[in-house]
Amino acid sequence: MDSSGVNPANFIIPPVEGIAGGGTGYGWADVGTESSNLCKGVNVIDPTQIPSAELLHVWCMPSTANVGQQEMPRPFDHVSLLAARNERESVQIALRPKLSWASSGIAGTVQIQCTDLCSASGDRLVVGQSLTMRHVVPILGVPDALVPLDLPIAQINLLPGETTSIWVSVDVPAGQPPGHYEGQILITALKANAEMSAQVLSKAEKYNLYRELKSCLEMVEPVDGKPLDEVAERLKSATSSLKRLLLWPVFQEFYKDNGSCDMMDEDAFTNISVNMKFNVTVWDFTLPLTPSLPAISETVIEDRFALEHGSEGWYDALDRHFKWLLQYRISPYFCRWGDSMRILAYTCPWPADHPRSEEYYSDPRLAAYAVPYAPILSCSNEARDSSHKDVEILKSKPHWRKAYFYLWDEPLNSDQYELIRSMSSDIRSYAPDARILTTYYCGPSDAHGSSTFEAFVKVPKYLRPHTQIFCTSEWVLGNREDLVNDITAELQPENGEEWWTYVCMGPSDPQPNWHLGMRGTQHRAVMWRVWKEGGTGFLYWGANCYEKSLVASAEIKFRRGLPPGDGVLFYPGEVFSPSHEPIASIRLERILSGMQDIEYLKLYSSRYGREEGLALLEKTGAYLSPERYTLEHTPIDLMRAEIYRTCGA
């Protein structure tokens, strides 16, 4: 080694992780331009000749980890998951370049290739169906949006000094045979021409390519019976379009040598890849199709998508969001606001006698549905008759037991309580078994002779029999679990009264909630808290409540005055690609995991009793109280493994 400090070859040494560099936040960006000298003229580093493990770090992280851009590498390990049937289980694969092998301002491009997961008996979990991948994209600097990747082969760019995370999910079908399934994920650094292809062919450009090819097909397909001159003209147009497509930069690597290309031998390609084994144990337990805990959430369509209420596009958007949210074990409701805090909540946009309504209400994935009460917005006889007609149809159906009316949000005084009683009386005059849901965080402010908390606890007395679902804010409880007994002692479950909870703005750190930037276990613990406190349902005030925008693809802006992420659980697909498919947040995936944990705990408690279920939460260290729960993922795996061990037999 030359100790003179002179570098005669003018060779630029890439920064070492953790020492004078290792990330844009630590100064790597300062040498980024010089480092690109490595790749001037020809690529000094040819990733086809070097094991990819020498170019990038690859490691696994649990679904509860917030993998930021400066996440430091961990030891490489293989993936091993446990999942029930009809369950989704997820893990993250983190990637961080050790040095740059590209010259275009990125560290390099990697290809991720997945195989099916196969059992010894030949059963499969098919890639692209049961096995999916999404790129974790930061929102306000926090990893949250999950943008789908194409499978079985996807490509992503890595930036110098930054960690990128890939969210990998396994959805086990309800009819999947139990057993041990094995597959692999190959991660390979690509050379410059493949990198250029990846950069050129974005999602939007793929869509344009698809549209152009489809147009060519439409030109030449309907030629039967056409005059020859018209057929010739169609072929000429199609040929011209195809020639134009072949000149796209994405195909430039095939221009030389009459279309031949310098591609790696498949075995050589596999040999240089980082080979991550991916194992899933599917056990003989099936999560119920209908969630045991009704978790309901408001979604707002008009504000974000600038759609006219009642238009064809509005109906399409509601239908798309309704179906999409059901996969997360969430029973969605949509809403329109009336005067003060009156709320017209509805799950189905069509009247009960419409052919589509039964499809909505009878969906087995729906745990609860909101029935609209039209007089909320209009006190006309027509509105009252319309609601009466809908209820008469619905109450004759088996799914009527899932129905509820949400009439007023967080009443504050005796006048508002009286309005709830009046509307409830009207509904119950023709549907005596109707369930009315009321959310509240306080009692009537003008209640005489009561303290603030006493008025809060006495709300069932004020609203009985005009409310059956008493839905209280977790913010009121704080870390006082003992207050739960004071609340539930006032209820009459023998008369059909239920206790649900909700989070909205609060509670804040360190208690469980779904704000952006909270810990992953803090997100997941919301449902652990519900289960431990004995709630029979959960309500969330919003799933896509952004600031208003004129187009769906506009910049995402959270509502002012709210904690970041509050009221937003997914993002418009149009922001990330031409797709209209919503983009899930990491927080929404953790809600799903918490909902699935409830099914595990319910199974365990059905075998050994609820007290043993509570003891298991504490024994494994997963959840003890609103401010004492695990900060790491290991206790979650221990809890699930214990349930598998004791109930799987």
Side-chain angles (χ1 to χ4, degrees), residues 210-389:
Y210 165 81
R211 190 174 57 187
E212 291 263 16
L213 291 171
K214 189 171 183 289
S215 176
C216 290
L217 182 62
E218 289 171 349
M219 287 180 197
V220 299
E221 201 169 38
V223 295
D224 292 344
K226 300 288 185 182
L228 287 178
D229 56 343
E230 183 179 337
V231 172
E233 189 63 31
R234 285 175 176 268
L235 289 174
K236 184 178 179 180
S237 296
T239 301
S240 176
S241 295
L242 289 172
K243 285 181 177 179
R244 185 176 69 254
L245 289 174
L246 289 174
L247 293 175
W248 278 32
V250 69
F251 299 123
Q252 69 179 12
E253 60 187 288
F254 305 114
Y255 295 166
K256 294 178 286 187
D257 302 324
N258 295 320
S260 65
C261 59
D262 181 22
M263 297 189 69
M264 287 183 283
D265 176 78
E266 185 176 348
D267 289 337
F269 184 83
T270 303
N271 289 337
I272 67 167
S273 301
V274 176
N275 190 336
M276 179 177 287
K277 295 179 181 178
F278 200 96
N279 302 324
V280 177
T281 298
V282 177
W283 68 295
D284 195 10
F285 169 56
T286 305
L287 269 61
L289 196 55
T290 305
S292 299
L293 181 88
I296 63 178
S297 175
E298 170 197 350
T299 58
V300 179
I301 299 300
E302 292 97 329
D303 284 1
R304 181 69 198 189
F305 295 93
L307 295 169
E308 182 181 351
H309 185 85
S311 66
E312 183 179 351
W314 178 82
Y315 279 107
D316 288 344
L318 260 66
D319 191 52
R320 184 168 62 251
H321 285 83
F322 171 79
K323 293 174 179 176
W324 186 82
L325 277 167
L326 286 176
Q327 70 176 299
Y328 288 96
R329 305 183 75 80
I330 286 177
S331 299
Y333 71 91
F334 306 96
C335 75
R336 300 188 78 190
W337 291 90
D339 294 337
S340 188
M341 296 296 279
R342 291 178 177 86
I343 178 171
L344 177 69
Y346 56 95
T347 292
C348 177
W350 289 282
D353 60 354
H354 191 280
R356 291 296 307 276
S357 68
E358 186 62 19
E359 175 189 336
Y360 269 59
Y361 292 128
S362 63
D363 194 306
R365 297 170 295 173
L366 199 65
Y369 64 79
V371 181
Y373 180 62
I376 286 283
L377 301 181
S378 170
C379 295
S380 67
N381 290 332
E382 183 182 2
R384 193 174 302 278
D385 292 343
S386 172
S387 290
H388 192 169
K389 179 183 176 183

Side-chain angles (χ1 to χ4, degrees), residues 423-456:
M423 290 185 288
S424 175
S425 293
D426 181 44
I427 294 169
R428 291 170 64 81
S429 68
Y430 49 82
D433 59 343
R435 297 191 303 166
I436 313 299
L437 179 150
T438 302
T439 58
Y440 60 101
Y441 63 87
C442 64
S445 59
D446 49 359
H448 298 293
S450 298
S451 67
T452 301
F453 184 74
E454 183 182 0
F456 169 77

